[in-house]
Amino acid sequence: MVGSLLVVPLLAAAGGGIWLARGALLRWRDLRAAETYELTGDQRPMLVRAAGAMVCGICVTVLTLLTALGAFGDLAGVGTPTGSAADRSADGGGADRQAAPPESAGGAPAAAPAPAAAPAAAPAVAAVPAEAAGAPAPPPVVSRFDSVGRPGGGELLQSAVPGPDGHPRNVRVWLPAQYAKDPNARFPVVVMQAAGPGKTADTEVPDVFEGLSSAAQGAKARPFILVAPEAPIGTGHPCDLLAAAPMAVADDAALRTTIAATFRTLPPGPAGWGTLGVEGGAPCAAAAGLARPDLYGAAAAVSGRYDTAALARTGAEAPATAAPKLLLAAGKADTAGLDAARKLQSTLRSGTGAAARAEVRISDNAQDYSADRIRLRLVRQAAQYLGEALAKAS
């Protein structure tokens, strides 16, 4: 009996140890990739996961020993004579009275639920490591996104979706007002990149929904669904990590399949999906658009500062299936931003591979009386560009 009770914590400890060990290995690989490009990363998440995996390993060892001892004890009890009726009556017969009802009522059916629950828990614990290891698995489907607000006249929802490393992360989805008005329509999707680790882009640029909504209402842009996944942790600058290893990060298969299965979207691919980055997230959008033109039909980077050498390498190594389309937008008074955009455009044109074929457009005419108003105008321009580019692709 003791051995069967220890099976559930044993499986939980084993699954947790595997999950933490894989997480530590993935973090270690990310740090190695970052070091290759002379980037610095935070080692604490890796060390915490490694320590947790060691603790789980110790727990598995202890629970295995206790389970084995319990099994030997049960075997010893089976081989021992049950004793006389007088011996059983001497202890009050308490144990026999507790055991008798399940046996008289068919002990096996009564005890069946407890052993059945233990095997059912094992696949749930091991499911995340299997996805992290790249094992074949059915497309993830998130059936419920919780509403968290109604900015810009649309609806903002949130749920947890596995990331490229298999770990769940928050994903926010903004549905435009037209989504509810036309229940038969399918909408393009724009993935908005975040700059801060563990954050979603809408928390960094909260007025982005107003810009998208006003662009769609003015018939200057095609309405689309905005998806804001949480940026990975483990580095202080996720956009630098994306530029360093774009082929590993930009192809977020779990995100694409989940969003496509949950909402009325155009099929994932360059004909219906684009990417957007504002300010700190602009290098992420540029890297994703240059790295995967087979996934994103267009990319818009607003008020960004760019590592032109890294992005040129990213574009040169991109698949040759399509030419990347990129908008680099900055305010008219943002001299540094416009210089960075023009330098990136020039570097890509003189590059090799898909980088030399990239269609790079620069927007430099946005001006207003405040920085917030300028950013609003730039977001409108980005929405118009993405809407036009995706409409042509489809």
Side-chain angles (χ1 to χ4, degrees):
M1 181 63 181
V2 175
S4 62
L5 292 176
L6 294 176
V7 170
V8 174
L10 174 60
L11 291 175
I18 294 173
W19 183 75
L20 290 169
R22 288 185 181 276
L25 179 60
L26 291 171
R27 295 296 177 188
W28 177 77
R29 289 176 178 175
D30 290 343
L31 290 173
R32 289 292 301 273
E35 290 175 358
T36 303
Y37 294 91
E38 298 182 357
L39 302 175
T40 58
D42 189 359
Q43 296 183 358
R44 287 176 296 178
M46 180 194 69
L47 296 177
V48 170
R49 285 170 171 78
M54 294 178 63
V55 172
C56 289
I58 295 173
C59 293
V60 168
T61 303
V62 173
L63 291 172
T64 302
L65 293 175
L66 292 177
T67 303
L69 292 175
F72 287 137
D74 292 341
L75 291 175
V78 171
T80 303
T82 56
S84 63
D87 294 335
R88 290 194 299 272
S89 61
D91 62 0
D96 289 338
R97 285 196 299 272
Q98 294 177 1
E103 292 175 358
S104 62
V125 175
V128 171
E131 292 178 359
V141 176
V142 176
S143 58
R144 176 176 177 179
F145 274 70
D146 297 324
S147 179
V148 294
R150 304 190 65 86
E155 184 175 12
L156 183 63
L157 305 102
Q158 178 174 306
S159 185
V161 178
D165 59 357
H167 297 97
R169 42 64 195 281
N170 289 328
V171 172
R172 289 194 166 191
V173 176
W174 180 75
L175 304 176
Q178 293 82 356
Y179 188 90
K181 295 178 181 178
D182 190 350
N184 298 318
R186 292 190 171 273
F187 294 80
V189 176
V190 171
V191 179
M192 187 171 181
Q193 308 288 342
K199 296 182 178 180
T200 57
D202 64 295
T203 61
E204 299 174 330
V205 190
D207 55 354
V208 64
F209 305 117
E210 299 297 334
L212 300 180
S213 178
S214 61
Q217 290 176 359
K220 294 182 178 180
R222 182 182 183 183
F224 50 74
I225 295 172
L226 185 75
V227 178
E230 187 177 73
I233 60 175
T235 175
H237 304 283
C239 289
D240 292 343
L241 182 61
L242 178 55
M247 300 303 290
V249 182
D251 185 5
D252 199 338
L255 178 69
R256 290 185 286 111
T257 53
T258 300
I259 297 300
T262 308
F263 302 97
R264 300 193 315 273
T265 71
L266 295 178
W273 285 52
T275 183
L276 168 67
V278 178
E279 296 175 352
C284 275
L290 290 170
R292 301 306 301 264
D294 56 328
L295 299 179
Y296 301 108
V302 175
S303 301
R305 306 294 187 267
Y306 312 100
D307 184 342
T308 56
L311 290 174
R313 290 193 300 268
T314 296
E317 298 170 0
T321 54
K325 297 181 177 64
L326 178 61
L327 171 70
L328 303 175
K332 189 172 184 178
D334 185 4
T335 305
L338 291 175
D339 288 345
R342 295 189 180 101
K343 183 178 179 181
L344 177 58
Q345 182 186 49
S346 176
T347 303
L348 292 174
R349 286 177 176 174
S350 60
T352 59
R357 297 184 288 107
E359 300 176 10
V360 183
R361 185 184 303 179
I362 293 180
S363 173
D364 59 358
N365 59 359
Q367 57 181 340
D368 214 310
Y369 59 84
S370 69
D372 291 342
R373 293 288 301 176
I374 293 174
R375 184 169 62 183
L376 185 64
R377 289 183 178 275
L378 290 171
V379 169
R380 288 176 184 169
Q381 291 181 359
Q384 183 177 358
Y385 169 80
L386 291 171
E388 291 177 353
L390 296 179
K392 291 179 182 179
S394 60

